[in-house]
Amino acid sequence: MKNRCISPLRDFASLISDPLAGIFNTSLREGYLPPIWKAAEVVLVPKVSPPTSIQNDLRPISLLPTLVKVFESFVGRWLLSFLKSKLDHNQFGNRKGRSTTHTIISVLYTWMSCLDSGGAVRTVFVDFRKAFDLVNTTYFTIS
């Protein structure tokens, strides 16, 4: 099914690109984001089928307006181009061409090099899986 929201933006890009560029640039210059762009529609997505508990079986997903996601992508690319030379070489998250596989290879190489030279390796693993489930779903209804 074709996304009904993206298609009109793409179809009318030549007409709306100049006004949107003006809005985006003004927003950046003044440090102001229109409140409507901050509003998200929260949709509850089941973790299991069928869900039996609102607290445990549903994951809240925030759907942001398309225009703010476009704006965010421009700002993200601009910031990354500015910060790229300042980021640590071992920063793998949110970087193009890097993945969790690269992280694992880097960590294993560091550990093995240390062990090969007679050193010791101590590690701590922390599970953040539930750390980001902070939206209180008690106030949402299943529809």
Side-chain angles (χ1 to χ4, degrees):
M1 183 172 161
K2 194 171 184 180
N3 189 334
R4 293 187 312 255
C5 190
I6 293 286
S7 185
L9 289 177
R10 212 174 271 143
D11 292 345
F12 296 105
S14 61
L15 298 173
I16 63 173
S17 59
D18 285 340
L20 278 179
I23 292 169
F24 289 170
N25 289 330
T26 302
S27 181
L28 283 172
R29 190 171 41 255
E30 296 182 9
Y32 176 78
L33 192 66
I36 190 93
W37 285 6
K38 297 177 191 178
E41 179 183 347
V42 178
V43 177
L44 297 176
V45 177
K47 295 179 187 177
V48 296
S49 184
T52 57
S53 165
I54 291 176
Q55 284 77 19
N56 299 321
D57 296 344
L58 297 173
R59 176 178 291 116
I61 304 292
S62 297
L63 302 176
L64 297 170
T66 303
L67 289 179
V68 80
K69 290 196 284 188
V70 171
F71 180 66
E72 184 180 74
S73 72
F74 289 140
V75 172
R77 279 185 288 196
W78 176 74
L79 280 174
L80 190 57
S81 68
F82 174 74
L83 295 173
K84 197 172 195 173
S85 63
K86 295 168 181 36
L87 291 175
D88 187 281
H89 179 69
N90 291 317
Q91 169 66 38
F92 293 96
N94 297 317
R95 296 203 48 199
K96 189 174 185 173
R98 295 184 174 213
S99 67
T100 53
T101 303
H102 292 103
T103 306
I104 292 168
I105 291 169
S106 175
V107 167
L108 286 175
Y109 176 78
T110 303
W111 290 350
M112 294 303 165
S113 297
C114 182
L115 292 173
D116 287 345
S117 65
V121 174
R122 295 185 181 109
T123 62
V124 175
F125 292 96
V126 180
D127 183 2
F128 289 109
R129 181 180 32 187
K130 290 289 185 177
F132 299 102
D133 291 343
L134 299 176
V135 176
N136 186 346
T137 57
T138 308
Y139 302 106
F140 300 107
T141 58
I142 301 173
S143 54

